[in-house]
Amino acid sequence: MGIFRRVKEIVAADVHRMLDKCEDPVSMAQLYLRRIEEQNEKSNEALTGQLVAEQETILLIEHTSQIVAKRMRQAELAVDREEERIAEIALADKLQHEKLIQGYGRNLDAIRNHIGTLKQEIIRLKELHRDLQGRLYFLVSRAKAARAIESAAFFPAYRTDKVIRGFERLEENVRQLEAGASAKQWAASPHDNELDRIDRNEEIQAELTRLKAARIEKQTG
């Protein structure tokens, strides 16, 4: 039996470890908050019911008290008229309604105790929800930071350097493409005509120089 119990404990421990790994702390915290909200709604509904019961019980007590007072007046009137039988009936009904008032009073005390308890419970749940909501916000921030750090661990510094070098090569290629495009644009621009004009001017000047030399040689000859 000891062996089987030990195996059962080991299996249970493994299951608990697996469940702990599967549990997302943020999701669990949100689940707790939802449960608190649901319980708070139930407490509010119960409080509403108790408040209604309180008002109904107060009305019952007031109505029954009016009956007691009426029966008392009827009994007094019957005694004055020496109608003892009617007086006895009135007093019996009065006593019966007084007992009802006592029962209503006990019910009212219990209802008011429930109201006080429910109000305290609602206040406690609201404070708990507010506290856990703040903790959840802090927990989510921590979880995001942890995931960011974990993601960064899969992108070490040497990979960053490699990416930077790749971008540098890309930038160099773009610069070369831009330089080639600029050169082609300049080659296709009207600058060719200016060069042609410059070349033609040099030709004209050379021809003019030869002509002047020929004229001088002819004149001197």
Side-chain angles (χ1 to χ4, degrees):
M1 293 297 292
I3 295 176
F4 289 112
R5 182 179 300 172
R6 180 58 179 163
V7 170
K8 181 179 179 181
E9 291 175 354
I10 293 173
V11 172
D14 291 338
V15 170
H16 284 299
R17 278 195 295 271
M18 291 175 63
L19 291 175
D20 289 339
K21 290 180 180 179
C22 294
E23 286 180 350
D24 181 6
V26 174
S27 299
M28 294 301 296
Q30 291 174 341
L31 176 61
Y32 296 150
L33 285 174
R34 285 194 296 272
R35 289 179 177 175
I36 292 173
E37 291 169 358
E38 292 172 357
Q39 182 59 43
N40 197 24
E41 289 178 0
K42 293 179 180 178
S43 298
N44 277 293
E45 290 177 359
L47 177 60
T48 301
Q50 290 298 301
L51 291 172
V52 172
E54 180 188 30
Q55 294 301 316
E56 291 178 347
T57 304
I58 291 173
L59 291 175
L60 281 173
I61 292 174
E62 291 177 352
H63 177 68
T64 308
S65 297
Q66 292 173 359
I67 295 175
V68 169
K70 183 178 179 180
R71 295 292 182 266
M72 187 63 188
R73 288 193 302 269
Q74 290 173 343
E76 290 173 349
L77 182 61
V79 170
D80 293 341
R81 295 178 177 177
E82 295 183 356
E83 296 175 347
E84 294 184 1
R85 182 58 184 163
I86 295 177
E88 290 175 355
I89 294 173
L91 290 174
D93 194 58
K94 169 184 170 292
L95 292 173
Q96 182 179 357
H97 281 85
E98 283 178 344
K99 291 179 181 179
L100 290 176
I101 291 174
Q102 293 176 358
Y104 294 152
R106 288 191 295 270
N107 291 340
L108 184 61
D109 290 338
I111 290 171
R112 286 175 172 170
N113 286 333
H114 293 160
I115 289 174
T117 301
L118 287 170
K119 286 182 176 179
Q120 292 178 357
E121 180 66 11
I122 290 171
I123 293 172
R124 185 186 70 84
L125 289 174
K126 286 182 177 179
E127 292 176 351
L128 179 60
H129 186 275
R130 189 182 305 111
D131 177 59
L132 292 180
Q133 188 72 40
R135 292 187 182 186
L136 176 60
Y137 177 79
F138 182 59
L139 180 63
V140 170
S141 299
R142 290 173 57 189
K144 289 182 178 179
R147 292 191 185 100
I149 294 171
E150 184 179 5
S151 299
F154 289 99
F155 205 79
Y158 73 87
R159 290 188 180 179
T160 303
D161 295 339
K162 184 178 180 180
V163 171
I164 292 174
R165 288 194 298 270
F167 270 89
E168 289 176 349
R169 288 194 299 270
L170 179 59
E171 290 173 352
E172 180 62 27
N173 291 335
V174 171
R175 283 194 294 269
Q176 291 178 2
L177 289 173
E178 290 175 342
S182 297
K184 290 180 180 179
Q185 183 180 13
W186 186 85
S189 66
H191 292 293
D192 293 340
N193 297 332
E194 293 179 4
L195 290 174
D196 292 341
R197 285 197 296 271
I198 293 172
D199 291 340
R200 286 197 297 271
N201 289 336
E202 290 178 353
E203 252 180 33
I204 293 170
Q205 292 298 325
E207 186 66 22
L208 180 59
T209 301
R210 286 194 296 272
L211 179 58
K212 287 179 179 179
R215 294 296 294 172
I216 292 170
E217 182 180 356
K218 183 176 180 182
Q219 290 173 1
T220 57

